[in-house]
Amino acid sequence: MDQYRVYGNPIKQSRSPFIHQRFAEQTNQQLNYQSELVALDKFVDTVQAFAESGGKGANVTAPFKEQAMALCDQLSERAQLAGSVNTLSFVKGKILGDTTDGDGLVNDLIANNVKLAQQNVLLLGAGGAAKGVVPSLLEQDPKQLVIANRTLANAQTIVAQYPDKPLSACSFEQLSDAKFDVIINATSAGLNGKSLAIPEQLLDKHVSCYDMSYGPSLTPFLQLAHDRQVKKAIDGLGMLVGQAAVSFEIWRQVKPQPEQVLCQLRKEMQ
Ligand code: NDP
């Protein structure tokens, strides 16, 4: 049976085995997908050994996405731009790398009827996740995409990669007079229960809010969005399932339906 893995450290929290097994059932594919905890200095050896043993592909999660990129013989254009890889395919002795987070996010925004074309879009955060989704967001032709980050220099570094695009960087303080149609939280602030120090006027009833984080209860950012009665408040579980769907299609050349799996996963989490 074809073998797949997801590598990370930590990895216990990963929902990817559940998602990929559901996709396999849905599309009648015979495969085995498991999570594997990898020691911080053993990532390269682990992937190479798995590829040599006949493994077909692997997902990569924190903190190995940059190392995964360095390991690849060939990279997709979006992985080169994003500077990270979350999907490895082992084909004829070569390692091919791609990143599916951006398409997972955009597909979930589309599924939730959030329009991006010609809209003012704010991306909060400039870490790996933010950097990874910028190419896919720009492909949707927003009027402007602003990256706001606690450390301004990190946002400026991303912006410098796209000189001809409607993309700019700012600090949270510089947002005090701004208005946006869509706000995407790509910071990790919520993971430790912290709320974001953003001006509350950003969150009005015309704005759609998306938090890449998710959990059994509302994230601090989505709680704030709800309290401010925004138009839409969506968590990142759909992005998680969406990025897995794109990886699955890369490996198996068949498109799974994420909606049903997202419902199952949401039930499981509650
Ligand atoms: P990184 O560690 O690479 O980046 C963290 C980002 O959050 C940085 O921009 C950092 O700012 C900012 N940040 C951290 N704490 C605070 C705070 N208290 N106030 C303001 N900003 C803060 O993490 P990732 O980019 O890999 O992940 C970000 C989030 O996205 C995580 O919650 C992760 O779970 C989620 N994610 C979800 C996915 C999904 O499929 N739904 C996929 C990938 C990620 P600074 O630069 O100043 O340090």
Side-chain angles (χ1 to χ4, degrees), residues 125-129 149-151 154 186-189 191 196 212-213 236 239-240:
N149 195 44
R150 182 176 63 179
T151 310
N154 295 344
T187 74
S188 55
L191 290 181
L196 279 172
M212 287 194 193
S213 302
M239 173 179 172
L240 178 76

Side-chain angles (χ1 to χ4, degrees), residues 62 65 101 125-130 149-151 154 172 185-189 191-192 194-197 210-214 236-237 239-241 243:
K65 288 183 181 182
D101 284 338
N149 195 44
R150 182 176 63 179
T151 310
N154 295 344
F172 290 160
N185 179 26
T187 74
S188 55
L191 290 181
N192 34 30
K194 284 200 184 134
S195 57
L196 279 172
Y210 192 99
D211 196 341
M212 287 194 193
S213 302
Y214 51 84
L237 200 61
M239 173 179 172
L240 178 76
V241 179
Q243 60 79 26

